Amino acid sequence: MRKVMMTLALALGLTAAAANADYRVVPLPREIAAAKGDAYRLNGVTRIVYQGDADMARNATFLAEYIAEKTGMKLTTAVADKKNQRGNIVLRTDAKMKEAEGYHIEVSARGITISGATAQGVFYGIQTLRKSLPVLTQAEEVTLPAVVINDAPRFAYRGMHLDCSRHFFSADFVKQYIDMLALHNMNRFHWHLTEDQGWNIEIKKYPRLTEVGAWRSGTTVGRNSDVDDHVRYGGFYTQEQVRDIVKYAADRYITIIPEIDMPGHMLAALAAYPELGCTGGPYEVGHYWGVYRDILCGGNPKTYQFIKDVLDEICDLFPSEYIHIGGDEAPKMRWEKCPKCQQMISDKGIVAGNKQSKEDRLQGYFATEVQKYLAAKGRKIIGWDELLECNVDQSATIMSWRGAEPGAQAAALGHDVIMTPNSHAYFDYYQTANNHNEPLLIGGDLPIEKTYSFEPIPEGTPAEAGKHILGVQANLWSEYIVSESLAEYQVLPRMGALSEVQWMAPAQKDFKDFVKRVECLRAIYELKGYTYAKHLWPEEHLKGSREL
């Protein structure tokens, strides 16, 4: 049950007497300079006024909602004019600011101004102000000390991933997840929508993808035991739902990058359309976790038409510059014996080389065909680092998951790179080595301090290669994430640690200081009723975990 605000305030040690803002939030702003003069008194007569368009009007509404949520004050919003700016909160854009996502906050007795080169930059300033406020019930006034804050992110790409195929999450939860990203200053949501265990997005030209592929007839129990629960499981997002979620994210300056994994991890699609496989089936939507041998046939012209048709609808739904095509864990056993694949290899003059088999290079041909098709639509591909093993075109952006080394290699070859190493950024892993009281998970040991320690640009990386490292992302794969509350538990507060990796300069990071400042996030987790891990607070953690 969600706690009432008064209980929260008392539990967190926040009372009316301590109603002061604290700007040392997560992620920590680049510059926080105390200013001379009296503090600003935020109260019920304060107004939020904005200069700009519909985006700024929406920003003002968000800020009003955040303030009401944390203090009980219901502030009104209005377009700025010559008379209503003094004494209020002013949101405005400033063409003189150079960094698109940067912001500037000034607080004095005369009011609060949040400026940004763009409305998106203003939004991040709003997040900082939101996190700086205490949690109170029906506060009469909050004191905000005079200050000047200048801030901007280190990386342009700041992402989180969610696998909605192994276990399915409701559209409402996906929106909540997007809200969580916004709270942590993230701007990319990598939405994993297709797998061996389920195809979870409506494609109108291929209705059997959701009629058949979205549902499995059972799920393995435990860690791939011989026991199956034989319970039908699945779900999918309609195109109407997808459009709604895409807009919801865009309103919060978050771009959704859809992933349609290919040519591997396609068993659910093969169950629906068996003619797309090398053997012709029959195939069944996967019950077990791991890698399956059956993948799309790389020598069948129908495969390429299928992919193009699917991508046509995906591009219509998602305005993202990037489309993620997976490319990982695609065994070539079927291709080695498939007459169609071997004929394609011969017809295209594909030969082995550079420790890559001709079947590996057939996947490279496959990926390049997809890249060309998407390029004609003004889109780019992202794929997992296995693409480096199949002679893929340099235009492909590489997501480095098997550690940071493949990312460094890709950057040296001229590929753009997103760092998402399983060593530091796989949030489906355990958060402690002492896991006997933890929920059943895939394994691993990734405490929050290790995530915090990650440096995305490896030591010794040449400056030119370093420019290709666009940013950082963490992933939540869902083989063992059986509920929405467990999803929350696995990412919170590790998402806070990730946000400082994404946002802050390395020299500014300090884990001990982060532990103190993360209370600003914890207050909001409590307020929202999120389930979060308490390993940073051992005494509470040892009292027993909440039901997940």
Side-chain angles (χ1 to χ4, degrees), residues 113-132:
T113 301
I114 304 177
S115 308
T118 63
Q120 184 172 359
V122 172
F123 182 75
Y124 297 128
I126 287 170
Q127 295 301 327
T128 291
L129 184 63
R130 169 196 188 185
K131 286 176 274 195
S132 74

Side-chain angles (χ1 to χ4, degrees), residues 173-446:
F173 180 75
V174 173
K175 287 183 176 181
Q176 178 192 305
Y177 200 77
I178 289 166
D179 284 333
M180 290 158 59
L181 268 65
L183 172 65
H184 294 84
N185 293 24
M186 297 180 189
N187 62 4
R188 299 291 192 280
F189 172 41
H190 175 176
W191 198 3
H192 190 82
L193 290 162
T194 66
E195 258 306 332
D196 294 307
Q197 296 83 8
W199 182 288
N200 302 105
I201 183 169
E202 178 186 25
I203 302 295
K204 293 185 182 296
K205 191 165 185 176
Y206 295 94
R208 285 178 59 81
L209 286 174
T210 46
E211 291 170 0
V212 175
W215 308 92
R216 58 181 181 260
S217 60
T219 303
T220 183
V221 176
R223 290 201 177 91
N224 278 346
S225 73
D226 291 332
V227 180
D228 191 290
D229 65 13
H230 302 294
V231 176
R232 187 172 186 261
Y233 180 90
F236 66 93
Y237 305 99
T238 67
Q239 292 200 358
E240 182 180 5
Q241 287 177 310
V242 170
R243 292 185 193 279
D244 179 55
I245 290 169
V246 168
K247 183 182 185 305
Y248 190 89
D251 285 348
R252 291 150 181 81
Y253 306 95
I254 293 170
T255 300
I256 298 182
I257 298 174
E259 181 179 359
I260 308 297
D261 207 341
M262 59 183 83
H265 292 289
M266 273 280 185
L267 190 58
L270 295 179
Y273 296 96
E275 65 272 19
L276 299 177
C278 290
T279 68
Y283 305 105
E284 182 182 12
V285 179
H287 290 210
Y288 295 86
W289 317 128
V291 180
Y292 287 80
R293 293 186 175 187
D294 286 299
I295 67 176
L296 292 175
C297 178
N300 187 346
K302 290 182 178 179
T303 295
Y304 294 84
Q305 189 59 51
F306 167 77
I307 290 299
K308 291 176 181 179
D309 292 340
V310 168
L311 290 175
D312 284 344
E313 296 193 31
I314 292 296
C315 288
D316 183 56
L317 291 168
F318 296 92
S320 167
E321 176 187 16
Y322 291 109
I323 305 295
H324 202 302
I325 67 165
D328 63 313
E329 298 175 335
K332 308 301 191 301
M333 298 86 159
R334 303 298 192 214
W335 286 11
E336 290 170 358
K337 298 179 180 180
C338 174
K340 291 180 181 178
C341 290
Q342 293 303 312
Q343 187 62 50
M344 180 71 80
I345 287 170
S346 177
D347 291 346
K348 300 300 178 182
I350 296 171
V351 296
N354 195 27
K355 298 183 180 179
Q356 298 169 356
S357 70
K358 59 184 187 295
E359 289 77 21
D360 291 332
R361 292 202 162 181
L362 176 58
Q363 184 179 352
Y365 168 80
F366 175 96
T368 300
E369 288 297 293
V370 173
Q371 178 270 327
K372 290 177 182 176
Y373 190 73
L374 287 173
K377 294 174 174 289
R379 309 300 182 95
K380 299 177 181 179
I381 65 170
I382 296 181
W384 301 107
D385 59 50
E386 283 93 336
L387 288 184
L388 295 172
E389 300 168 0
C390 61
N391 209 33
V392 73
D393 187 86
Q394 190 188 57
S395 64
T397 296
I398 301 300
M399 217 167 237
S400 184
W401 75 273
R402 294 178 295 179
E405 293 79 7
Q409 175 191 352
L413 292 172
H415 292 273
D416 285 344
V417 173
I418 310 299
M419 287 294 192
T420 178
N422 57 354
S423 57
H424 294 78
Y426 266 43
F427 287 180
D428 50 326
Y429 287 6
Y430 284 112
Q431 302 176 68
T432 173
N434 184 16
N435 57 41
H436 65 280
N437 284 328
E438 297 292 311
L440 177 68
L441 297 171
I442 196 167
D445 175 16
L446 181 54

